[in-house]
Amino acid sequence: MHLFSGFQFRDWLLANDPALSRLRMASRVTLTIVFSFLVLLAIQIFIVPLPTAAFGLGIVLSIEGGVAVRDTGNTRQLVTRLFGCVASLGVVAIAAGLEDRRFLSDLVFLVVIALASAGRVFGPRGFAIGMFAFTSYFMGSYFRPSLAELPDVAIGPVVSVLFGHLVRAVLLPDDWRRDLLRSLESVRGRINQILFKLAALAGGAEIGEADRQELRQLEDRLKEVVLMAETFIPRPAGGVFDATADPAAELAIRLFDAHLAAESAIVLSFQSPPPFALVHAVIEADAAELAPYSAMAEAIRDEPQGETVRALLWLGEARQQLTQAIGEGQASGFAGIDAVKDTAQSEKIDFSFANPLLRSALQITLASALAMGFGLLLSRERWFWAVLAAFLVFTNTNSRGDTAMKALSRSLGTVFGIAIGLLLATLISGQLAIAIPVAAVCIFLAFYFLQVSYATMTFFISIVLCLVYGMTGVLTLDLLQLRIGETVIGAVAGTAVAFLVFPARTRGALDAALARWFQALEDLLNAIGEGKSGFELIALSQKIDACYRDVTVAAKPLGSSWSVVTRPGQIRQTLAIFLSCTYWARILAKSSTAPAEADELKRLIAADLALMKDAAAQGSTCFFIERKASRTTGRHLPLSREGARLGLEMIGSALERLYPQADVLPFAPGEVIARSKQG
């Protein structure tokens, strides 16, 4: 029973954390902090007393080493860490040297912020070194070590760098084979979630809108992990496999089939829910129970139920193939697949303000200066918190809407985290044996949820700070109020600059993402028109998938809290249209053989290209069109026999619904409706 529960927990963990990447990152950060702190404490007790700045830098750079260092390969990561350590020691020395000249020190801090932000144009290494430099100057100005203490202060960054590399390279190393296996298990787990939901709905007359919405959410979650799994499969330089004899190519096909089969089962179940016995047989992989349904699908092939049965049988077969691939990976570690060497060449760096990274650097510097000015009015000693908030709200954001959402998340996370942290610190006051483990758990949870919710991460970090203040005896209500005030100042400063200086409009980011999606669709249609087939089409359809994900990310601020009352419906409806079109692009890629030889397919391709160009010219306007929901259903989908033609028809139908005419029935959210004409 316990063993079964353990397997259940692992399946649940993989279903929610594909490849266990979040678990690994949180564990790396937590272990690095723990090891660094213990080593520094041992040095403090047995060798030489260390200044507080050494502990502060050791802990903060342990975090940056686990989060900001994103190079591929252990050697590159070590080089980045060493450069970051040098930058850290350099800026701390500058901060210490300027301690008696506070005004000049503040100006130099802005210069460091500008250089750290601009360093992102150099890629992952520039980003990491910049973060090391910024946080180190922040800590140097906060703890104010003297020049005489610098040799001892340097022990903190050196220890954090060494143990950060030890944890990442030895204890919890990157391994694409292991990550590929875990991501495939996550794909299977999410397919199982879809099957369990279909089993609950099986046998009914019709699937309700709430259940449809849940199935679409499961479909999105499946897409997310499939895209991750695809990144772990080594591909040749061109990204397209030459032959199916390649084990990597065979694995890519199995993954593609499993994804497409699961989506087809959902789409066709919307028209005709499957029999419960069939879904149960697919879940149990019972060949004897599945056998009669093959004959049933042939007997009723011209009815909706027949297509649904075919889709479930296809999903069952694809799931078994995926399970077989997982078993082979567990047995051999994908021994037949070789890693592709990194042959990427460095691109020419654009140092003009046409580069969004340099525009962002100017925004960050101005926001930090604004936060510094108002933060100083609130406190001469704690204004650094305002600058920290202003700096961080610009990290990993694409538009002013993104920045505003992140600023709000940071402010809310800080407020609620301090409230809970104050309560915890009061309850366990003076009990280090309890406070330290609780702080370690909160650190782990903060970075486990970092990729899911920035507010949750900030919440747990705020709890940790309250516990640290409590353990050091400086926890007061005034201090926590000051922390909240400075954080709000930084968040407001960042948001104001994002909206006023080089504003990257949310619609502008969405327009750019849509342009990439339309271009990917055009490439696929042109390739089919030229008679191409096989992996080349699959690779192009996967590119559309990736572009769709970018569209959803760019559109996210449109459905944020300030527009949730007025616009979420049309945003979800429009995304559902793009999702539908992306699905049919994959059907098209799988079903096409030599469409250039078919006059009807040529005509449909030309019609789709014309519709696509008209829609692409209007950009993100489609997200602001009111659409009335419709429960209209069309004929059943002859997917198994006419995939290529049907795919082209449905792409055209979806594109038409982006801008519905008055006499055209609007598209129901997520509903796949076939055209009334017969092929």
Side-chain angles (χ1 to χ4, degrees), residues 592-611:
S592 294
T593 52
E597 299 174 0
D599 291 338
E600 183 189 5
L601 295 182
K602 281 185 177 181
R603 178 182 60 77
L604 289 172
I605 290 172
D608 285 354
L609 284 171
L611 286 169

Side-chain angles (χ1 to χ4, degrees), residues 185-398:
E185 290 176 336
S186 296
V187 171
R188 181 176 60 183
R190 295 195 176 182
I191 289 175
N192 289 342
Q193 290 178 339
I194 292 172
L195 286 170
F196 294 148
K197 181 61 182 177
L198 289 176
L201 301 173
E206 186 179 9
I207 296 178
E209 184 57 34
D211 291 321
R212 289 169 181 255
Q213 184 65 26
E214 185 177 347
L215 281 169
R216 285 191 290 269
Q217 290 173 350
L218 291 174
E219 183 181 355
D220 283 340
R221 297 183 73 228
L222 173 64
K223 182 188 297 293
E224 169 191 294
V225 70
V226 166
L227 288 171
M228 173 181 284
E230 288 171 352
T231 64
F232 293 128
I233 300 178
R235 293 177 179 270
V240 180
F241 296 108
D242 294 329
T244 55
D246 185 349
E250 183 180 354
L251 181 58
I253 283 292
R254 290 184 182 184
L255 182 62
F256 182 85
D257 274 350
H259 183 197
L260 192 53
E263 288 191 312
S264 297
I266 291 174
V267 167
L268 293 166
S269 294
F270 284 169
Q271 288 196 132
S272 177
F276 174 80
L278 171 58
V279 182
H280 180 268
V282 170
I283 292 174
E284 298 296 329
D286 191 324
E289 289 187 22
L290 286 171
Y293 287 98
S294 297
M296 174 184 175
E298 286 298 322
I300 57 173
R301 64 181 300 163
D302 293 325
E303 299 178 17
Q305 183 76 3
E307 287 296 325
T308 303
V309 170
R310 285 178 179 275
L312 263 296
L313 291 173
W314 178 20
L315 178 56
E317 182 180 354
R319 181 168 168 264
Q320 285 183 307
Q321 291 289 326
L322 184 62
T323 299
Q324 181 181 348
I326 292 171
E328 293 170 355
Q330 291 171 335
S332 65
F334 302 106
I337 302 178
D338 296 324
V340 177
K341 295 182 178 180
D342 185 6
T343 57
Q345 298 180 352
S346 58
E347 299 180 359
K348 185 178 179 180
I349 299 174
D350 181 5
F351 288 103
S352 72
F353 279 113
N355 188 336
L357 292 174
L358 283 179
R359 294 199 300 270
S360 178
L362 178 60
Q363 288 178 313
I364 293 172
T365 306
L366 290 176
S368 299
L370 195 60
M372 182 183 294
F374 284 96
L376 282 168
L377 295 177
L378 197 59
S379 170
R380 177 64 224 183
E381 302 298 324
R382 308 289 183 178
W383 60 269
F384 304 103
W385 289 331
V387 175
L388 180 66
F391 184 92
L392 293 180
V393 296
F394 282 96
T395 304
N396 297 326
T397 56
N398 300 313

Side-chain angles (χ1 to χ4, degrees), residues 7-197:
F7 281 122
Q8 277 187 322
F9 175 75
R10 186 174 185 273
D11 289 342
W12 174 85
L13 195 61
L14 283 171
N16 291 278
D17 181 15
L20 301 183
S21 56
R22 288 162 47 201
L23 177 65
R24 191 160 59 250
M25 185 181 74
S27 300
R28 284 171 175 168
V29 171
T30 306
L31 286 175
T32 303
I33 291 175
V34 170
F35 289 155
S36 298
F37 177 78
L38 291 177
V39 169
L40 291 174
L41 186 62
I43 294 173
Q44 165 91 1
I45 296 173
F46 299 109
I47 302 178
V48 60
L50 295 177
T52 307
F55 286 89
L57 282 167
I59 292 173
V60 170
L61 296 187
S62 294
I63 294 173
E64 295 299 345
V67 175
V69 177
R70 303 172 183 174
D71 302 83
T72 56
N74 292 333
T75 302
R76 291 183 180 181
Q77 291 169 7
L78 179 59
V79 170
T80 298
R81 292 177 191 276
L82 292 175
F83 276 125
C85 185
V86 171
S88 171
L89 297 176
V91 298
V92 169
I94 293 173
L98 296 176
E99 177 53 36
D100 295 333
R101 304 173 184 178
R102 297 301 304 165
F103 180 74
L104 181 59
S105 177
D106 296 346
L107 293 180
V108 171
F109 193 10
L110 291 178
V111 173
V112 170
I113 289 172
L115 294 176
S117 306
R120 297 175 183 182
V121 302
F122 294 100
R125 178 166 292 167
F127 173 82
I129 295 173
M131 293 301 295
F132 271 70
F134 167 76
T135 52
S136 296
Y137 199 98
F138 172 90
M139 299 301 288
S141 297
Y142 187 83
F143 288 109
R144 301 181 181 179
S146 65
L147 288 172
E149 291 178 321
L150 286 181
D152 293 335
V153 170
I155 295 175
V158 171
V159 167
S160 71
V161 164
L162 293 178
F163 278 93
H165 185 68
L166 173 67
V167 169
R168 181 137 185 193
V170 179
L171 298 182
L172 295 171
D174 291 317
D175 183 347
W176 69 265
R177 297 178 188 275
R178 176 200 60 206
D179 291 341
L180 174 58
L181 178 61
R182 287 175 175 169
S183 63
L184 292 177
E185 290 176 336
S186 296
V187 171
R188 181 176 60 183
R190 295 195 176 182
I191 289 175
N192 289 342
Q193 290 178 339
I194 292 172
L195 286 170
F196 294 148
K197 181 61 182 177

